[in-house]
Each structure stands twice: as structure tokens, then as C-alpha cells.
Amino acid sequence: KTKYEVAQIVHPQERNIHQKAFGGYLMRQAFELSWIAAQQFSHSRPIFISLDDNTFVKPVEIGSTVLFNAEISYACQNTNVVVVRVEADVLHVNTGKRDRTNLFHFSFRAPVSKPVLPFSYEEAMQYIEGKRIYDKLLETGVVEHAPPPPAQIATASS
């Protein structure tokens, strides 16, 4: 499984000086869900590598219900790196409409036993975005190149 969702109510103790949700609170909620997604994907305890691109689109009102959606967007078997994308949306109770408020990307080191394969156009775009983040980690030296695993050679038994 590569997708996880959790809903949170933003309580008054999470407000900033502008009476909106404190960005650090939203980031912590996103981080925790991304860590769980990486853990469930790899079946082990992931090690945090970096907070990559994150976007604060609009403020979140106190009392709002925020839906956090985490998805493994990219995973590299050679270097054991998992990139997780977390979207935060405010759910409007009266209409059921969702408004995107935040987008976070986190990278973890964790055993990768299977690749992430996109099935839709949207998933393909997220995969490319995750790959771009992974490539940036390689470029900056946060993650080192690893040799590809040896090819599996099938032998015929007689």
C-alpha cells in the first residue's frame, strides 16, 4: 500500500499570531503521516533524510478539519530512498468540498523491496516530481549513488 489518509481538527492551541493554524503544526502532522507511509511501505523504521519542497498555499482557519493524504511518490531500490508526498486539504463540512492548503515532500532512507509504479497520469506526474526530488538529493550529495544490483540470471535445469 502506498496511500494513507488521516483527518485532524485544528484546535485553538495550534494557532499563530494571525489566529490561523501554525505552519509548524501542519508540517509535524504531515511528517508523522509521511513517516508512517514510509514505514508501512518498507516494513521497517525509516530514517529521515530531508524535508524537500513544501508549499503553503493558503492559511488554515482554527476549527477546520484538515485531511492529510500521504503517498509514496518515488522509491529507489539501489539507494533505499523513499520520497513521500503529503497533501493537506481543508474539508468544508457543509459542502464536502476540499481546498488544498499545503503540499509537503519528505525523503527517508528505508529498505525498498519493490518499485513504485504509476497507473494514472496524475500518479505519473507525482512519480516524476518524486524522481526530480531524488535526483536533487543525489546532486547535492545527501544521497550517494549505489551500484545497481547484479542482474538475476535464470539458468535452465536439465
Side-chain angles (χ1 to χ4, degrees):
K1 185 174 175 182
T2 61
K3 296 181 182 182
Y4 296 87
E5 181 176 80
V6 68
Q8 295 283 330
I9 297 172
V10 180
H11 296 282
Q13 63 264 27
E14 308 304 341
R15 69 178 176 258
N16 62 19
I17 62 170
H18 304 290
Q19 305 306 310
K20 308 292 185 196
F22 176 60
Y25 166 76
L26 299 170
M27 192 178 300
R28 188 187 87 223
Q29 297 301 318
F31 172 78
E32 289 176 0
L33 185 59
S34 70
W35 191 89
I36 290 168
Q39 178 191 44
Q40 293 300 307
F41 178 75
S42 67
H43 303 289
S44 68
R45 292 180 68 86
I47 298 169
F48 175 70
I49 296 175
S50 70
L51 167 64
D52 303 299
D53 298 346
N54 64 57
T55 308
F56 290 88
V57 180
K58 41 173 104 160
V60 176
E61 300 291 332
I62 300 302
S64 297
T65 300
V66 182
L67 297 174
F68 292 91
N69 294 285
E71 184 170 0
I72 308 297
S73 59
Y74 184 78
C76 180
Q77 291 176 286
N78 295 343
T79 56
N80 288 323
V81 172
V82 177
V83 179
V84 184
R85 170 190 172 99
V86 181
E87 301 168 346
D89 299 332
V90 167
L91 176 64
H92 298 282
V93 181
N94 297 338
T95 63
K97 185 180 170 220
R98 296 168 87 152
D99 280 334
R100 174 74 28 87
T101 60
N102 302 84
L103 178 61
F104 303 97
H105 292 88
F106 300 93
S107 297
F108 298 92
R109 181 154 329 263
V112 177
S113 61
K114 57 192 174 283
V116 174
L117 301 174
F119 290 106
S120 67
Y121 177 79
E122 182 182 354
E123 288 176 352
M125 292 296 98
Q126 292 174 4
Y127 177 88
I128 291 168
E129 186 177 37
K131 174 72 165 94
R132 181 187 57 76
I133 289 169
Y134 172 76
D135 289 344
K136 191 169 26 169
L137 293 173
L138 286 174
E139 212 175 272
T140 58
V142 174
V143 174
E144 294 182 14
H145 285 280
Q152 302 257 339
I153 301 172
T155 58
S157 55
S158 32

